[in-house]
Amino acid sequence: MKTVAAAILALMGSTAAFQPFTTKSSATINKAAMVEELPGVIAPTGFWDPLGLAAKADDATLKRYREAEITHGRVAMLATVGFLVGEKVEGSSFLWDASIKGPAITHFLQVPHEFWAFLVV
């Protein structure tokens, strides 16, 4: 019973990460003020937009850019974890009879050519 309650609490807490953040209506604040209040704006650099994409974007597009940035960051973090796990489980994989050895950076080149042909087809 305790594990079910803990699982429910964990799921409820994790859903907060996927809730959209709320801002004031665009009629009450100007765009520059909204940009400075977005999550991720830090003190030393402020709002960092070297290509000036935010100047050309409306509110919805700017929020979509921010969501895409967060999503790509999360995918990059998962890829890093996958790379580190590949280093740790060397030789214990059920794939290709555990014939892939060495550092994880070379695993990509050791995958049999038949797999890549199957993947392309």
Side-chain angles (χ1 to χ4, degrees):
M1 184 67 180
K2 289 181 183 180
T3 57
V4 172
I8 290 172
L9 287 174
L11 286 174
M12 287 173 42
S14 66
T15 58
F18 300 102
Q19 298 296 325
F21 62 93
T22 58
T23 59
K24 299 175 186 173
S25 68
S26 59
T28 59
I29 59 172
N30 62 5
K31 187 175 178 179
M34 191 209 56
V35 167
E36 292 299 325
E37 292 177 1
L38 285 174
V41 176
I42 53 177
T45 59
F47 182 73
W48 192 68
D49 184 23
L51 299 178
L53 297 174
K56 300 176 237 171
D58 60 346
D59 292 346
T61 305
L62 194 59
K63 287 180 184 177
R64 187 171 53 91
Y65 287 164
R66 182 55 62 109
E67 289 172 3
E69 180 182 4
I70 291 171
T71 301
H72 288 102
R74 289 176 179 167
V75 169
M77 287 185 269
L78 286 173
T80 302
V81 169
F83 195 83
L84 295 174
V85 168
E87 285 282 337
K88 185 68 177 166
V89 298
E90 176 185 346
S92 64
S93 176
F94 62 90
L95 297 173
W96 303 293
D97 298 325
S99 63
I100 297 178
K101 304 283 185 201
I105 195 76
T106 64
H107 289 181
F108 184 76
L109 299 172
Q110 295 178 31
V111 174
H113 297 290
E114 295 83 17
F115 172 75
W116 299 117
F118 175 75
L119 190 65
V120 170
V121 173

